[in-house]
Amino acid sequence: MTVPAAPDAPLLRIDALTKSFGGFVALNDVSVQVRKGERFGLIGPNGSGKTTLVHCISGALRPNKGAVIFGGEDVTPLPPNQRSRRGIARSFQIPRPFRSMTVLENLMVALDFAAGRETLESTAHRREAAMSILARIGLAAKAESPTATLTQVELRKMELARAMATGPKLLISDEAMAGLSTSEVDEVLDLLMSLGGDDIAIIMIEHIMQAVMRFSQRVMCLDAGRIIAIGPPAEVMANARVQEAYLGT
Amino acid sequence: MNRRLLLGWAAAITLLGLMPAARAEEPPIRIGMSMPQTGGLAGGGKASLLGIEIWRDDINARGGLLGRKVELVVYDDKSSASETPAIYAKLLDIDKVDLLFAPYATVPTAPIMPLVKQRGLLLMGNFSFQVNSKVHHDMWFNNAPWGPADSWATGFLTLGQKAGGKTMALLSADQEFAQNLATTARDVAKKLDLNVVFDQAYPPSLAEFSSIVRAMNATKPDIVFVASYPPDSAAILRAVNEIGVGDNVRIFGGAMVGLQFAAVMENLGSLMNGVVNFNTWLPEPSMYFDGTKEFFETYSKRAVEAKVDPLGYYLAPYGYAMGQMVEAAANATKSLDQKGLAKYLHENTMQTIVGPITFAENGEWKESSTLEAQFRGVKDKNVDQFRSPGKQVILFPDRLKTGDLITPFEKARE
Amino acid sequence: MFSIDLLRDAVVLGVLLGCFYAAVSIGLSISFGLLDVPQVAHPAFLVLASYGVYLLNDRYDIDPLLAGLMLAPLFFALGIITYRIYYETFERRGSDAAVRGIAFFFGVAFIIEVLIIVQFGVDQRSVTAPYIGKAWRFGDLRIPIRQLVAFAVAMGLTVLLAAYLSKTFMGRAIRAVAQDEEGLRLMGADPIRVKQVAFGIATAVVAVAGALLIVVAPVEPTLDRVYIGRTFCVVVMAGLGSISGTLIAAIILGVAESIVLTLFGASWAPAISFALLLGVLAVRPQGLLGR
Amino acid sequence: MQRRSIAFWLGAVVFLAAMLAMTQLVRNEYPFFAGYVILQFVVLAVAWTILGGYAGYVNFGTNAFFGVGVYTAVLLVKAFGAPLPVQIATAAVVGSLLGLGVGLLTLRMRGIFFSIATIALAIIIETSITNFRFVGGAAGIQLQRPPVTAPFDSYVKMLFFVQALLVVIAVAITRGIQNSRIGRGLHALRDDELAAECTGVPTLRLKLLACVISGALMAAAGAPAAMYLQYANPDSAFNLNYSVSVLAMALIGGTAHWIGPVLGAILLGATQQLLAVTISSEVNVLVLGVMLVLFVVAAPKGVIGLVQRQPKRRGGSK
């Protein structure tokens, strides 16, 4: 189904994306590319369009103009579940677990409908796969706990685990560190660093600058729906407009 | 003490003790029925039931039926057809009742017709309409003065034609009873050579009739036949009062269910003046038979306690009459054998508080006694005015007539 | 059977009927449209208010509309209590609040129905007022005055509520709570308290609408069942939470119903209004004036 | 899990055998009249739960699907004298098409729109039937039963057994859904539709599937009602009570497991039958209202929540 991408082709290409709500333009002509396995930081003040961009990539929102090309395929008209099957996974700014289920069941949902399900035919296999992801994330002990009993950091981890269970090529982490303590931030950051690699590109949206600096190979800064800077972390941080956007208001 | 005497006393006491016991051994006669006590038909159902209960108390006070006490077994069918099959199965198979009465109205009755036919049981109908026309059960007796199916419309339309009407408008609720009536009205109109210029069935939940009355007026009918249900009847009269129907209308009404119920009559008051509508009993001189007056004396008292219709003209006396007919048949045949009772009911004329009743082959009254009466001189907010004669003058049938039609409608409203 | 006169009359009467529908739906437009509370008992509250008005009118000869206004504070309190219970038992516990909330309000509606039956019996009731049973003449067009009253009340309610929601602090807070509870919290307003007041207002409006209900036509205890479909239809068609949309949707419905009644088969009237709703949902899911 | 399946099917066979034995041994007909109604509600409540419980989409239009079942049967009997199995099968097909139609129209939107649309649907269909003279229109229609098929000695007993068969089919299908990934997907989308989509769950397809199956079962449950009553009128067939009772039954029983609606339907259905022949008054309606309010407030997980205090959930299924 997917057209095999040329080796040097970007994993994700965002093409002149515009999204407006009524008169309010949340994204204005945004174009950017993310490479395979890249660790990509996305920053910007509140209301700058970060989450809108994530919604457009994951399919929760349809852009007014522009296209989202993933793995060489135009996924703009596809619903989120189709994009998930093609390898786009995400976490949410405010965690959205399946509340009536345990941690393990949350992951089972992902595995039940994941693209690679055929290799995990039996429930036992899938459960095994889920457990190994949980072990990797450090939630194995909580597998049978209802999500309602989880702490904030555990919920964040569970969301990442669930996203991983879909077998993604691109993982979008939407402020997974908001509201966590310093030690917890490091914990999640280490986790994200370890998840990324040759196969999985990660877009990390974050307010905590140290974390972004440490994590990202490239950083993009949005303000009022436009890209105001993109490049290596240090360069972007030094950018006057970025400084203004962050400190000026 | 003398031993013999002692024994004698003992025997006497034992006998005395046994005597009431022996009488109690004769089990009561149980009459089973469902009756709408909630839902749309509840108002009528409760009044009907009270009429039957008064008969039960009267006959028990007279020593019972065939010397046995009469007991009623009554369940609520919620005005719905889907409840009655289970209820009647319970009445027959668990409660083992001796006789069956049908619930008030056609819809709850329809599903039990096949059941009673299959089991060969006598069923006393209660104001249903043409429910036996397909089933053809020969032990069915509809306790309602409708008579032949078309008599209802015939009465009203003949009055209209006599008053010079040539065209007719037909406004009917889109529900079973009203639609059955509308069908006969169309047939009768054809027979009488009336031109049907307006024929609309309105939906049951309609809130506002202004536009439909306006549309009807545009066709300028001479006769307006309305077959409606309680909430709509009131709304229609209101709209008519406000919008008017024009001077051409000779006669208005016919089959508006609701104008027989005290609460509605009280609410509408003078709005009803001039309307010619059907009824089954009215406090007119021609309507009193043996026991009628006493019945209504009792009814008025008990209705207040039971919070049911304080007038109870429409259904209650017929409930009583239903009991009277069974009483007459049982007394004559000296048994509760249902075939025997049915035979008696087919062959004889029963005297009741609503007059003599004779049944036709199909279980309907041989002759229609459906009254068409005109409201006159009604004032607002007064229930008791309806207890005196002259407020609803009977125009039809001729043998019960107590006055003549005032026409046109607009004049009669003054 | 068609003429321009008839069509004109049908439209005029339809607009008036629509205004009546708007008046009985506007409370729901707040409670369900803005606050997302599945208030299935809204029509039951409406009928309850009608019976309250009936009582005041029958016993003390109070004008029905005035009686409705007198009941409004009582209903305001009733609304606050109802929302409190709903919040404590469903909203706060999250998850399937909607499903169980619907069931809860259905239960409440049934209980109200039975209480009315026990108190007033199953017969229909109506009120008397100088404007009931009379009509105004405009040439050969005659308009029932009670319909004009409904028109005036609906207009008044719409204007007042729209002004309240856009001009006052509380009103703006209510609109904000519908969109962004978090943001409201940041503004320093307690969203639960705001919602509680909003629900109270919605229920107080129901008291006035209940007066209108019994002015326009007699009521009976189970009348609420008819209005479940009708009021939700108006609110959804309007676009959730839009007060002016409610008026427009209700008028469209009233006119459509009136035209069908007058010019086509009357028996199709209920289907036409709901087909209209399905049509709107299919073409414009957010409703006519939806956000 | 395999053992559980064997136990389930064994239970189903025992249940059907018991029902069949009952029709052969019990002479008294009342249990079958009342039992039929309860079984019919079991099918409806179980079918409702597929969409309303698992997916959290409240169908107010149970009466629409039920009524469509009734009138499909009426039409087939009137036009072709079709036998009972044909009536039921056709009703199921029509019900599923109806489910597909409403689903396509409204399942893209939030749950409450679907609920409102089902109310609208019920009214539109009822109005259409009311205007459809061939099946009796507003006046209703009386129907003749064909002779009863052996081994049954009365038609009601046969209908009772047929309805029991439908119960087994409905429960088996619902159980199958619950234990499959479809069930897990429905649960996920009930908890959080966007999260489910982003986790790869094709929510629209699952909802449509649930709506189609649920609609088919509801219509199938309605089809034999035509022959049970030997009468049909729009008022009774499309009665709002079906919608409310079924909703109440599912919620009172609990919607997390198929046994919930079964228990709820038996409990509430039996109570209603009992009340109908005992108290017989407004109290009847009051009981429904009070039970609804009590259960949703005090026992949010229904009877099954009360029974299994500590809901030990597992990754697998049961």
PDB file of all heavy atoms in Angstrom, chain B residues 174-193:
ATOM      1  N   ASP B 174     -54.995  10.733  13.572  1.00  0.00           N
ATOM      2  CA  ASP B 174     -54.386   9.588  12.913  1.00  0.00           C
ATOM      3  C   ASP B 174     -54.155   8.467  13.915  1.00  0.00           C
ATOM      4  O   ASP B 174     -53.037   8.041  14.148  1.00  0.00           O
ATOM      5  CB  ASP B 174     -53.069  10.012  12.255  1.00  0.00           C
ATOM      6  CG  ASP B 174     -52.834   9.260  10.960  1.00  0.00           C
ATOM      7  OD1 ASP B 174     -53.601   8.327  10.709  1.00  0.00           O
ATOM      8  OD2 ASP B 174     -51.905   9.607  10.230  1.00  0.00           O
ATOM      9  N   GLN B 175     -55.246   7.997  14.523  1.00  0.00           N
ATOM     10  CA  GLN B 175     -55.171   6.892  15.475  1.00  0.00           C
ATOM     11  C   GLN B 175     -56.327   5.952  15.212  1.00  0.00           C
ATOM     12  O   GLN B 175     -57.281   6.311  14.529  1.00  0.00           O
ATOM     13  CB  GLN B 175     -55.216   7.437  16.911  1.00  0.00           C
ATOM     14  CG  GLN B 175     -53.831   7.819  17.423  1.00  0.00           C
ATOM     15  CD  GLN B 175     -53.906   8.631  18.689  1.00  0.00           C
ATOM     16  OE1 GLN B 175     -54.449   9.731  18.686  1.00  0.00           O
ATOM     17  NE2 GLN B 175     -53.369   8.107  19.769  1.00  0.00           N
ATOM     18  N   GLU B 176     -56.254   4.744  15.796  1.00  0.00           N
ATOM     19  CA  GLU B 176     -57.134   3.692  15.287  1.00  0.00           C
ATOM     20  C   GLU B 176     -58.613   4.037  15.319  1.00  0.00           C
ATOM     21  O   GLU B 176     -59.292   3.931  14.317  1.00  0.00           O
ATOM     22  CB  GLU B 176     -56.850   2.354  15.960  1.00  0.00           C
ATOM     23  CG  GLU B 176     -56.985   2.207  17.462  1.00  0.00           C
ATOM     24  CD  GLU B 176     -58.359   2.280  18.031  1.00  0.00           C
ATOM     25  OE1 GLU B 176     -59.327   1.824  17.372  1.00  0.00           O
ATOM     26  OE2 GLU B 176     -58.509   2.782  19.148  1.00  0.00           O
ATOM     27  N   PHE B 177     -59.109   4.462  16.487  1.00  0.00           N
ATOM     28  CA  PHE B 177     -60.539   4.674  16.656  1.00  0.00           C
ATOM     29  C   PHE B 177     -61.027   5.736  15.679  1.00  0.00           C
ATOM     30  O   PHE B 177     -62.000   5.547  14.935  1.00  0.00           O
ATOM     31  CB  PHE B 177     -60.780   5.108  18.100  1.00  0.00           C
ATOM     32  CG  PHE B 177     -62.212   5.318  18.463  1.00  0.00           C
ATOM     33  CD1 PHE B 177     -63.121   4.281  18.341  1.00  0.00           C
ATOM     34  CD2 PHE B 177     -62.640   6.539  18.939  1.00  0.00           C
ATOM     35  CE1 PHE B 177     -64.443   4.475  18.690  1.00  0.00           C
ATOM     36  CE2 PHE B 177     -63.954   6.738  19.286  1.00  0.00           C
ATOM     37  CZ  PHE B 177     -64.856   5.711  19.162  1.00  0.00           C
ATOM     38  N   ALA B 178     -60.333   6.864  15.665  1.00  0.00           N
ATOM     39  CA  ALA B 178     -60.742   7.968  14.803  1.00  0.00           C
ATOM     40  C   ALA B 178     -60.686   7.568  13.336  1.00  0.00           C
ATOM     41  O   ALA B 178     -61.546   7.958  12.541  1.00  0.00           O
ATOM     42  CB  ALA B 178     -59.854   9.175  15.072  1.00  0.00           C
ATOM     43  N   GLN B 179     -59.680   6.776  12.972  1.00  0.00           N
ATOM     44  CA  GLN B 179     -59.555   6.381  11.572  1.00  0.00           C
ATOM     45  C   GLN B 179     -60.659   5.417  11.162  1.00  0.00           C
ATOM     46  O   GLN B 179     -61.172   5.484  10.049  1.00  0.00           O
ATOM     47  CB  GLN B 179     -58.180   5.768  11.323  1.00  0.00           C
ATOM     48  CG  GLN B 179     -57.080   6.801  11.203  1.00  0.00           C
ATOM     49  CD  GLN B 179     -57.416   7.894  10.223  1.00  0.00           C
ATOM     50  OE1 GLN B 179     -57.687   7.648   9.050  1.00  0.00           O
ATOM     51  NE2 GLN B 179     -57.457   9.144  10.696  1.00  0.00           N
ATOM     52  N   ASN B 180     -61.038   4.521  12.074  1.00  0.00           N
ATOM     53  CA  ASN B 180     -62.151   3.628  11.774  1.00  0.00           C
ATOM     54  C   ASN B 180     -63.422   4.425  11.545  1.00  0.00           C
ATOM     55  O   ASN B 180     -64.206   4.141  10.640  1.00  0.00           O
ATOM     56  CB  ASN B 180     -62.362   2.638  12.919  1.00  0.00           C
ATOM     57  CG  ASN B 180     -61.376   1.478  12.838  1.00  0.00           C
ATOM     58  OD1 ASN B 180     -61.034   1.048  11.745  1.00  0.00           O
ATOM     59  ND2 ASN B 180     -60.912   1.006  13.975  1.00  0.00           N
ATOM     60  N   LEU B 181     -63.610   5.447  12.384  1.00  0.00           N
ATOM     61  CA  LEU B 181     -64.792   6.289  12.224  1.00  0.00           C
ATOM     62  C   LEU B 181     -64.739   7.069  10.924  1.00  0.00           C
ATOM     63  O   LEU B 181     -65.746   7.217  10.230  1.00  0.00           O
ATOM     64  CB  LEU B 181     -64.890   7.271  13.392  1.00  0.00           C
ATOM     65  CG  LEU B 181     -65.480   6.706  14.663  1.00  0.00           C
ATOM     66  CD1 LEU B 181     -65.573   7.789  15.707  1.00  0.00           C
ATOM     67  CD2 LEU B 181     -66.852   6.117  14.382  1.00  0.00           C
ATOM     68  N   ALA B 182     -63.554   7.582  10.605  1.00  0.00           N
ATOM     69  CA  ALA B 182     -63.411   8.374   9.387  1.00  0.00           C
ATOM     70  C   ALA B 182     -63.782   7.529   8.167  1.00  0.00           C
ATOM     71  O   ALA B 182     -64.433   8.009   7.236  1.00  0.00           O
ATOM     72  CB  ALA B 182     -61.983   8.897   9.270  1.00  0.00           C
ATOM     73  N   THR B 183     -63.370   6.260   8.212  1.00  0.00           N
ATOM     74  CA  THR B 183     -63.689   5.370   7.096  1.00  0.00           C
ATOM     75  C   THR B 183     -65.204   5.246   6.911  1.00  0.00           C
ATOM     76  O   THR B 183     -65.718   5.380   5.796  1.00  0.00           O
ATOM     77  CB  THR B 183     -63.084   3.980   7.353  1.00  0.00           C
ATOM     78  OG1 THR B 183     -61.716   4.160   7.670  1.00  0.00           O
ATOM     79  CG2 THR B 183     -63.217   3.094   6.146  1.00  0.00           C
ATOM     80  N   THR B 184     -65.912   5.019   8.038  1.00  0.00           N
ATOM     81  CA  THR B 184     -67.367   4.894   7.900  1.00  0.00           C
ATOM     82  C   THR B 184     -67.961   6.228   7.460  1.00  0.00           C
ATOM     83  O   THR B 184     -68.926   6.254   6.688  1.00  0.00           O
ATOM     84  CB  THR B 184     -68.018   4.445   9.221  1.00  0.00           C
ATOM     85  OG1 THR B 184     -67.762   5.430  10.221  1.00  0.00           O
ATOM     86  CG2 THR B 184     -67.494   3.121   9.671  1.00  0.00           C
ATOM     87  N   ALA B 185     -67.388   7.338   7.946  1.00  0.00           N
ATOM     88  CA  ALA B 185     -67.928   8.643   7.574  1.00  0.00           C
ATOM     89  C   ALA B 185     -67.833   8.854   6.067  1.00  0.00           C
ATOM     90  O   ALA B 185     -68.752   9.383   5.442  1.00  0.00           O
ATOM     91  CB  ALA B 185     -67.181   9.748   8.313  1.00  0.00           C
ATOM     92  N   ARG B 186     -66.721   8.414   5.477  1.00  0.00           N
ATOM     93  CA  ARG B 186     -66.576   8.559   4.019  1.00  0.00           C
ATOM     94  C   ARG B 186     -67.642   7.736   3.292  1.00  0.00           C
ATOM     95  O   ARG B 186     -68.251   8.200   2.331  1.00  0.00           O
ATOM     96  CB  ARG B 186     -65.185   8.099   3.592  1.00  0.00           C
ATOM     97  CG  ARG B 186     -64.127   9.135   3.874  1.00  0.00           C
ATOM     98  CD  ARG B 186     -62.726   8.680   3.431  1.00  0.00           C
ATOM     99  NE  ARG B 186     -61.753   9.333   4.301  1.00  0.00           N
ATOM    100  CZ  ARG B 186     -60.972   8.710   5.171  1.00  0.00           C
ATOM    101  NH1 ARG B 186     -61.018   7.395   5.259  1.00  0.00           N
ATOM    102  NH2 ARG B 186     -60.156   9.384   5.937  1.00  0.00           N
ATOM    103  N   ASP B 187     -67.861   6.514   3.780  1.00  0.00           N
ATOM    104  CA  ASP B 187     -68.870   5.653   3.150  1.00  0.00           C
ATOM    105  C   ASP B 187     -70.245   6.280   3.224  1.00  0.00           C
ATOM    106  O   ASP B 187     -70.984   6.323   2.238  1.00  0.00           O
ATOM    107  CB  ASP B 187     -68.897   4.281   3.851  1.00  0.00           C
ATOM    108  CG  ASP B 187     -67.604   3.515   3.627  1.00  0.00           C
ATOM    109  OD1 ASP B 187     -66.843   3.927   2.727  1.00  0.00           O
ATOM    110  OD2 ASP B 187     -67.361   2.532   4.355  1.00  0.00           O
ATOM    111  N   VAL B 188     -70.579   6.754   4.436  1.00  0.00           N
ATOM    112  CA  VAL B 188     -71.906   7.327   4.623  1.00  0.00           C
ATOM    113  C   VAL B 188     -72.069   8.571   3.760  1.00  0.00           C
ATOM    114  O   VAL B 188     -73.120   8.799   3.151  1.00  0.00           O
ATOM    115  CB  VAL B 188     -72.162   7.656   6.109  1.00  0.00           C
ATOM    116  CG1 VAL B 188     -73.476   8.391   6.284  1.00  0.00           C
ATOM    117  CG2 VAL B 188     -72.140   6.390   6.939  1.00  0.00           C
ATOM    118  N   ALA B 189     -71.012   9.378   3.684  1.00  0.00           N
ATOM    119  CA  ALA B 189     -71.074  10.592   2.869  1.00  0.00           C
ATOM    120  C   ALA B 189     -71.396  10.229   1.424  1.00  0.00           C
ATOM    121  O   ALA B 189     -72.200  10.896   0.759  1.00  0.00           O
ATOM    122  CB  ALA B 189     -69.748  11.342   2.952  1.00  0.00           C
ATOM    123  N   LYS B 190     -70.796   9.159   0.956  1.00  0.00           N
ATOM    124  CA  LYS B 190     -71.055   8.733  -0.422  1.00  0.00           C
ATOM    125  C   LYS B 190     -72.515   8.341  -0.573  1.00  0.00           C
ATOM    126  O   LYS B 190     -73.200   8.744  -1.511  1.00  0.00           O
ATOM    127  CB  LYS B 190     -70.134   7.541  -0.749  1.00  0.00           C
ATOM    128  CG  LYS B 190     -69.989   7.309  -2.243  1.00  0.00           C
ATOM    129  CD  LYS B 190     -69.010   6.190  -2.542  1.00  0.00           C
ATOM    130  CE  LYS B 190     -67.559   6.644  -2.577  1.00  0.00           C
ATOM    131  NZ  LYS B 190     -66.631   5.494  -2.659  1.00  0.00           N
ATOM    132  N   LYS B 191     -72.995   7.575   0.427  1.00  0.00           N
ATOM    133  CA  LYS B 191     -74.380   7.120   0.389  1.00  0.00           C
ATOM    134  C   LYS B 191     -75.355   8.303   0.384  1.00  0.00           C
ATOM    135  O   LYS B 191     -76.353   8.307  -0.309  1.00  0.00           O
ATOM    136  CB  LYS B 191     -74.650   6.225   1.619  1.00  0.00           C
ATOM    137  CG  LYS B 191     -75.046   4.806   1.231  1.00  0.00           C
ATOM    138  CD  LYS B 191     -75.339   3.973   2.467  1.00  0.00           C
ATOM    139  CE  LYS B 191     -74.108   3.179   2.909  1.00  0.00           C
ATOM    140  NZ  LYS B 191     -74.265   2.596   4.257  1.00  0.00           N
ATOM    141  N   LEU B 192     -75.029   9.296   1.210  1.00  0.00           N
ATOM    142  CA  LEU B 192     -75.921  10.455   1.330  1.00  0.00           C
ATOM    143  C   LEU B 192     -75.652  11.487   0.236  1.00  0.00           C
ATOM    144  O   LEU B 192     -76.265  12.548   0.218  1.00  0.00           O
ATOM    145  CB  LEU B 192     -75.741  11.126   2.695  1.00  0.00           C
ATOM    146  CG  LEU B 192     -76.127  10.304   3.919  1.00  0.00           C
ATOM    147  CD1 LEU B 192     -75.873  11.094   5.177  1.00  0.00           C
ATOM    148  CD2 LEU B 192     -77.588   9.887   3.843  1.00  0.00           C
ATOM    149  N   ASP B 193     -74.690  11.170  -0.633  1.00  0.00           N
ATOM    150  CA  ASP B 193     -74.374  12.065  -1.733  1.00  0.00           C
ATOM    151  C   ASP B 193     -73.804  13.403  -1.252  1.00  0.00           C
ATOM    152  O   ASP B 193     -74.084  14.456  -1.818  1.00  0.00           O
ATOM    153  CB  ASP B 193     -75.631  12.305  -2.584  1.00  0.00           C
ATOM    154  CG  ASP B 193     -75.253  12.461  -4.050  1.00  0.00           C
ATOM    155  OD1 ASP B 193     -74.094  12.119  -4.367  1.00  0.00           O
ATOM    156  OD2 ASP B 193     -76.088  12.931  -4.829  1.00  0.00           O
TER     157      ASP B 193
END
